[in-house]
Amino acid sequence: MGIWARIGALSTVACGAVVYWLQPHKRVVQADRGRAHPFPYELKLVQVLFRHGARTPLKSIPDIQVAEWVPNLLKDPSHTSMNYVVTNLSGGPKPPSPIEDSYRAHTLAGGTFPGQLTTLGKQQLYDLGARIRKTYIEEFNFLSPIFRSSEVYVRSTNIVRTIESATCLLAGLFQQKQEGAVKIQTSEAETEILYPNYHGCKLLKLLSRHRWTESALLPDIAEDLKRIQSLLGIVGHKHVDFIQLRDDLVAREAHGLPCPTVLKNWQKTVEERAVEMVYYIYEPNKSENLQLSVGPLLHTLMANIEKKIEKSSDDSRKLYLYSVHDTTLMPCLMALGIFDMKWPPYAADIALELYEHRSTKEVYIKVSYIGQDQLVRGCSDVFCPLNEFRKALLPYMLDSKRHGALCNQTENITK
């Protein structure tokens, strides 16, 4: 499988004997419908990482009942549109997108390309935007009801489904009201930090390749995969793993398309094994792996916080939006110590809120996942003092220079 195809496969993308590497359950604090009341705190900044909506599968499973992915599934609901332009990080022309090109080199049964946002996915992101609107416009009166680029920063991976997801979210958030075009910034593929970049980081590529191969050979995973391949009639030489099986199954189910009965009967096992594989691949008990995967992204999020609390800063932005993938959210959740061993659903989001105490002027961070407040590992409270939050993320954050140096340390890795 090519490198860009492998990135795509991960971007969708045991309980018995092989449990020694599973982490403990997450710690969740719920209040006021899952969100702690901000009083006596004043909201200063919000950053949201969100997964794209439902899409066509990244690759069809061989030798099983075909699903027809017809163009009618990709129609644009009129209420999800926004006027926007896509640029590079400096405001110049949109960079090339080798991942998107790899999708469009293939066609699924029915005539559409792999990895494309569907009508359902567009609605899911519109609904997420509406939820964000209810919180930060209607309840907190924090954001203006009209999109303004001076107030909202938008960045996406350079892939059509994430770019479209960002516009749909904004349509729901601002009810299609805007002052000027939305500017969506994207990065060159080699320097992308919004997903684990196997092309841009040599060490991550080598480590992940080994871990991916090993994960499929773990006793319980290998045994279950052999059984399901036999039941589905998939011949042994055609490579299929639980991550790919899950991707196809979830996409079919979301869009009401036919699915082999055998696969439906194994749905729970497929879901569990896929998560166990990706957890094994990331190996979050080793901080270096999460540094390589999302270290620069975590550093960027912290830099945005630090800049906002500088009294001399003239940054008027209140909301940073990052349109990303499930494989962005999972290592971020692992770094925060709140991964619940469940695959992030379409349109899942992580929100980081920066608060200042109205009396003491002390600064706090509050993290939520899919609308539920989370107690971050190393934090004493849901409203986490900034020094505690910074200390909690310190083992995983890397600036671009240190990340680049680490990525090139491949001398002792078998190629």
Side-chain angles (χ1 to χ4, degrees):
M1 182 182 293
I3 184 62
W4 293 117
R6 177 57 60 89
I7 292 174
L10 261 177
S11 291
T12 160
V13 270
C15 281
V18 194
V19 295
Y20 56 90
W21 39 266
L22 300 183
Q23 74 169 24
H25 60 77
K26 69 174 181 178
R27 297 167 293 170
V28 182
V29 176
Q30 300 182 20
D32 291 351
R33 302 185 304 263
R35 292 181 56 81
H37 197 280
F39 186 84
Y41 305 95
E42 180 182 357
L43 184 60
K44 293 292 186 178
L45 179 69
V46 179
Q47 301 184 82
V48 183
L49 308 172
F50 56 93
R51 188 189 177 194
H52 56 77
R55 53 156 172 75
T56 59
L58 297 177
K59 187 178 180 182
S60 296
I61 303 173
D63 302 332
I64 70 168
Q65 180 183 6
V66 173
E68 295 288 332
W69 296 97
V70 297
N72 193 52
L73 290 170
L74 275 58
K75 287 184 175 180
D76 294 320
S78 59
H79 62 278
T80 64
S81 65
M82 293 284 282
N83 179 22
Y84 71 96
V85 61
V86 182
T87 73
N88 62 21
L89 297 182
S90 301
K94 176 181 176 292
S97 178
I99 295 181
E100 190 64 40
D101 291 344
S102 72
Y103 294 148
R104 292 172 186 267
H106 305 279
T107 304
L108 300 170
T112 59
F113 298 122
Q116 302 306 300
L117 193 68
T118 62
T119 304
L120 171 63
K122 293 164 188 175
Q123 183 62 47
Q124 289 173 329
L125 267 295
Y126 180 90
D127 292 342
L128 175 59
R131 170 163 69 79
I132 295 173
R133 175 185 179 84
K134 182 178 180 182
T135 301
Y136 300 116
I137 295 178
E138 297 175 5
E139 294 181 2
F140 289 8
N141 195 29
F142 178 66
L143 296 173
S144 303
I146 300 173
F147 172 84
R148 296 186 176 96
S149 59
S150 60
E151 193 173 77
V152 182
Y153 172 87
V154 187
R155 179 170 172 176
S156 172
T157 62
N158 193 13
I159 300 174
V160 170
R161 67 176 176 272
T162 47
I163 293 170
E164 292 180 341
S165 291
T167 65
C168 294
L169 182 148
L170 289 166
L173 174 54
F174 295 105
Q175 299 296 288
Q176 298 182 293
K177 296 181 175 65
Q178 58 187 122
E179 289 184 358
V182 176
K183 294 181 180 179
I184 302 177
Q185 295 192 355
T186 60
S187 171
E188 297 282 352
E190 290 75 12
T191 56
E192 182 62 83
I193 66 169
L194 296 189
Y195 51 65
N197 194 334
Y198 305 98
H199 182 75
C201 182
K202 295 178 183 178
L203 181 57
L204 180 62
K205 177 182 176 180
L206 291 172
L207 291 174
S208 298
R209 184 169 60 192
H210 291 312
R211 299 290 291 182
W212 186 302
T213 301
E214 291 172 359
S215 70
L217 300 177
L218 294 170
D220 289 352
I221 291 177
E223 181 179 339
D224 280 342
L225 183 60
K226 185 176 181 180
R227 290 175 61 193
I228 196 169
Q229 283 181 311
S230 176
L231 291 170
L232 289 171
I234 299 174
V235 295
H237 69 276
K238 294 187 177 180
H239 177 74
V240 173
D241 59 37
F242 279 112
I243 294 175
Q244 182 184 342
L245 287 169
R246 182 198 177 277
D247 183 66
D248 190 283
L249 173 59
V250 170
R252 289 178 186 236
E253 184 177 54
H255 297 93
L257 296 179
C259 185
T261 302
V262 169
L263 197 54
K264 285 289 293 181
N265 292 342
W266 275 68
Q267 185 170 4
K268 185 174 183 292
T269 300
V270 169
E271 183 75 21
E272 290 174 349
R273 298 301 187 227
V275 173
E276 290 165 7
M277 280 188 68
V278 81
Y279 192 88
Y280 185 89
I281 292 166
Y282 284 124
E283 197 178 12
N285 60 307
K286 294 184 178 179
S287 61
E288 181 181 84
N289 296 332
L290 296 183
Q291 287 179 336
L292 293 169
S293 297
V294 290
L297 173 56
L298 297 175
H299 180 270
T300 296
L301 297 175
M302 183 59 70
N304 292 340
I305 292 171
E306 301 284 4
K307 183 177 181 181
K308 194 66 178 180
I309 62 178
E310 291 177 6
K311 300 304 181 182
S312 59
S313 173
D314 58 356
D315 186 7
S316 61
R317 290 186 177 123
K318 295 182 176 181
L319 176 64
Y320 284 79
L321 295 173
Y322 296 95
S323 188
V324 297
H325 304 266
D326 44 11
T327 49
T328 314
L329 297 186
M330 284 190 280
C332 286
L333 292 169
M334 292 173 190
L336 292 165
I338 57 176
F339 184 55
D340 59 2
M341 294 303 292
K342 294 180 181 178
W343 203 284
Y346 297 129
D349 70 294
I350 301 173
L352 280 69
E353 299 172 334
L354 169 66
Y355 288 93
E356 183 179 85
H357 195 282
R358 298 179 191 275
S359 299
T360 66
K361 303 304 179 182
E362 293 180 358
V363 178
Y364 298 83
I365 305 296
K366 185 160 72 66
V367 174
S368 63
Y369 176 54
I370 318 183
Q372 300 294 310
D373 288 339
Q374 307 289 317
L375 183 59
V376 173
R377 178 180 53 216
C379 288
S380 57
D381 190 78
V382 168
F383 284 91
C384 183
L386 179 59
N387 63 327
E388 291 183 8
F389 186 77
R390 187 188 293 111
K391 184 177 180 180
L393 283 190
L394 191 60
Y396 311 107
M397 294 188 297
L398 281 182
D399 60 30
S400 58
K401 183 177 180 179
R402 292 167 58 212
H403 182 260
L406 181 60
C407 284
N408 288 323
Q409 294 178 13
T410 60
E411 296 82 5
N412 298 321
I413 304 297
T414 303
K415 296 185 179 180

